[in-house]
Amino acid sequence: MYQHQHAAAPLPNLQLPRTLNRPAFVEVQRDAILAVEPSLGQVPFEYIRKGLHARGEELMASLNAAKVPPQLPRTRLPASFDIMPAHGTAPPTHILAVHSSPSSKHPVSDAVFLVPTHHIVLAAHCAHIPRLPVSRAQARPGGALALPAMPLVVPQAEAFAPLHAFLVTHRVDRLVGALLPLPPAMLAPARASGSAAAGPLAAVSAPQAAAYLAASASGDKMSALMALTRHVTGVWRNACALGVFDRDLWAALDWTWEVLLGAMNMVAAGTY
């Protein structure tokens, strides 16, 4: 499972892996599901996830309606945030306060990224996430809800939002669009019945996308492409740390990595 990899030509003078390795598969925890949605205790995990994907646009609309600051200093993080829930949709259950785990390359930052979420989305997709505390949203005057803030540590906090959006909507085209600056015409998703080897997008192949990136990168092309690799590896590291083993996610990461390596080869060879 999860062993498909793409070959890539050598990249002169660049220390990049040929593939993004995947950890051994681990299923999510039944206790984590029971803690937040006891009624789903006997439902198979795949049915839970498919049900969430079918409601993805509705859930994302409710998250987008929850207006919170994009960032705050950790020292100013309140215990809860007041939000106005969207009419007719399930409101978020928590406001994630996402910050990066300290490392030699990323020293401790005081900033946290605030991301509204539904606890069942995390519990159903993330095998390694700590057991979520039950959300006890409190009603405020005027229809607002007070949602608890929940700290979440990931390897690269600034790369958490595109991963989280994918978990909610399961839209591969939007994930690729968040990782690579491709025009909308190239981002049509492939049909579910199509060949996996063709890639996650219907309108463009990996070599075509690589050629576009190599030609359209401005300024120092290699530096611009390297910045994109850092964002992709941030999403990859976060997925590994949280225990996300979605096939479509990993296919999209494989494909974007192949595109970036191809674009770098073209730039290094002087093609663009």
Side-chain angles (χ1 to χ4, degrees):
M1 183 176 278
Y2 304 110
Q3 293 302 311
H4 179 69
Q5 295 179 335
H6 299 283
L11 291 170
N13 302 320
L14 294 178
Q15 299 300 314
L16 291 175
R18 298 294 185 267
T19 57
L20 298 176
N21 293 329
R22 306 181 189 187
F25 175 81
V26 178
E27 187 55 274
V28 298
Q29 302 172 49
R30 178 62 68 181
D31 286 349
I33 301 287
L34 288 170
V36 297
E37 292 289 350
S39 63
L40 298 178
Q42 301 302 316
V43 180
F45 295 128
E46 277 305 306
Y47 282 95
I48 295 174
R49 286 188 281 262
K50 286 180 180 179
L52 290 171
H53 298 162
R55 298 176 56 206
E57 297 300 328
E58 170 202 336
L59 296 177
M60 183 56 74
S62 78
L63 299 181
N64 290 336
K67 303 303 181 184
V68 295
Q71 295 183 51
L72 277 180
R74 203 183 318 182
T75 54
R76 292 176 48 200
L77 182 66
S80 64
F81 289 86
D82 288 1
I83 64 107
M84 289 298 297
H87 179 70
T89 63
T93 60
H94 298 79
I95 305 298
L96 297 176
V98 186
H99 60 97
S100 300
S101 53
S103 69
S104 58
K105 293 183 179 179
H106 300 281
V108 176
S109 171
D110 184 48
V112 295
F113 294 80
L114 301 178
V115 181
T117 195
H118 295 91
H119 51 198
I120 186 59
V121 170
L122 299 179
H125 290 93
C126 303
H128 298 159
I129 200 167
R131 182 168 170 169
L132 298 169
V134 176
S135 175
R136 305 189 188 282
Q138 297 182 349
R140 300 290 200 207
L145 290 177
L147 301 183
M150 188 182 87
L152 179 66
V153 181
V154 295
Q156 192 168 322
E158 57 270 27
F160 176 76
L163 174 61
H164 179 258
F166 173 81
L167 297 183
V168 176
T169 65
H170 209 248
R171 289 284 300 270
V172 170
D173 55 323
R174 292 183 188 172
L175 174 63
V176 173
L179 299 177
L180 301 177
L182 297 174
M186 287 188 175
L187 293 174
R191 294 181 179 179
S193 59
S195 168
L201 303 181
V204 62
S205 67
Q208 290 170 327
Y212 176 86
L213 290 185
S216 63
S218 59
D220 184 338
K221 290 179 178 290
M222 195 61 77
S223 293
L225 294 171
M226 282 298 294
L228 295 177
T229 69
R230 286 190 288 272
H231 194 46
V232 173
T233 56
V235 173
W236 164 67
R237 292 172 64 209
N238 290 346
C240 291
L242 294 174
V244 181
F245 297 96
D246 184 279
R247 289 179 181 274
D248 292 333
L249 169 71
W250 285 101
L253 290 176
D254 281 348
W255 190 85
T256 56
W257 196 246
E258 181 183 1
V259 168
L260 285 170
L261 295 186
M264 290 181 173
N265 275 317
M266 294 175 186
V267 171
T271 307
Y272 290 95

